[in-house]
Amino acid sequence: MSSTTDASTGRAQIAARTLRTDRWWLPPVANAAGLAAWVIYATVRAFMQDYYYVPEYGYLTPFYSPCVSTGCVPEASHFGQILPDVWWLPYAAISLPFLLLFRLTCYYYRKAYYRAFWLSPPACAVAEPHKRYTGETRFPLIMQNLHRYFFYIAGLITLINLYDAIEAFFKPGGGFGLGLGNIILLVNVVLLFAYTLSCHSCRSGVGGRINHFSKHPVRYKMWTFVTKLNTRHMQFAWATLVSLAVTDFYIMAVSAGWITDLRIVG
Ligand code: FES
């Protein structure tokens, strides 16, 4: 393998696309398959407008929360019904677009889908096929900077998911109830909080613009906590995709009568 140095850029001129000999293509391929599968499942479910609520136990899937369409069953509409019931509008159309934008602009997902779908670049030390690179300096990618605002909205929606999970412990007919569905809803909401709080925007929000941490001990503690979560942001990103799909599928299966909820109390 021969290489020379480009005098103008100081960079090595290497004819080969990459000198890597490991399976560098595996992560982008796996990410592309995983993300595409999830988006297809979520799209089908969001537009299905059925099997989203279990009336006996008050389980509401996060894909339909908050359920604000006039098509929602009244027991599932904890925050009113303000959207028309038309086939092309998901019942949770006031939250889903923001959750999508939150994830689409997420620093981790950007890395994942730039590599998986744009090959920009496909992996470290692997040349990308594009001739020009403008990064995120112009439209539309400059809009990625809106991420911090989607973070605030996603935080509010996660609180709604927490409300749904707590509400499900109190059966619509009255009395406390505990089933496998409650545990799945709770685990999902804990993971959603871990993902949301581990966001890079959250970390810079709690710890940014401070010159002396010693003068802000509370914010320092919060920043230390968020920083620890932040090191696991990629894991939380995937764990929440799995937990959201599992939660939704479980509630669909119980709602459709394919399985019965495993009851522990009530
Ligand atoms: Fe991933 Fe903010 S960086 S959610």
Side-chain angles (χ1 to χ4, degrees), residues 134-165:
T134 54
E136 295 172 336
T137 57
R138 56 183 69 179
F139 186 81
L141 292 186
I142 198 167
M143 305 297 279
Q144 303 279 28
N145 286 308
L146 295 174
H147 181 66
R148 74 197 71 168
Y149 303 108
F150 299 135
F151 159 72
Y152 295 126
I153 299 171
L156 287 176
I157 297 168
T158 308
L159 287 174
I160 293 175
N161 294 140
L162 175 63
Y163 175 88
D164 292 338

Side-chain angles (χ1 to χ4, degrees), residues 2 7 16 26 42 62 67-68 89 93 107 118 123 133 137 148 160 172 184 205 218 228 241 249 255 259:
S2 65
L26 194 55
C67 208
V68 290
L89 199 58
Y107 287 52
W118 257 279
Y133 176 78
T137 57
R148 74 197 71 168
I160 293 175
I184 291 174
V218 175
K228 280 189 189 136
L241 288 190
F249 189 82
S255 170
I259 57 172

Side-chain angles (χ1 to χ4, degrees), residues 116-198:
F117 296 113
W118 257 279
L119 309 178
S120 180
C124 287
V126 180
E128 61 180 295
H130 313 285
K131 289 215 167 50
R132 269 170 14 102
Y133 176 78
T134 54
E136 295 172 336
T137 57
R138 56 183 69 179
F139 186 81
L141 292 186
I142 198 167
M143 305 297 279
Q144 303 279 28
N145 286 308
L146 295 174
H147 181 66
R148 74 197 71 168
Y149 303 108
F150 299 135
F151 159 72
Y152 295 126
I153 299 171
L156 287 176
I157 297 168
T158 308
L159 287 174
I160 293 175
N161 294 140
L162 175 63
Y163 175 88
D164 292 338
I166 294 172
E167 168 87 10
F169 284 110
F170 304 96
K171 296 195 298 179
F176 177 81
L178 176 62
L180 181 56
N182 293 102
I183 294 168
I184 291 174
L185 277 166
L186 203 57
V187 169
N188 178 56
V189 94
V190 168
L191 286 172
L192 287 176
F193 268 109
Y195 171 68
T196 308
L197 292 176
S198 65

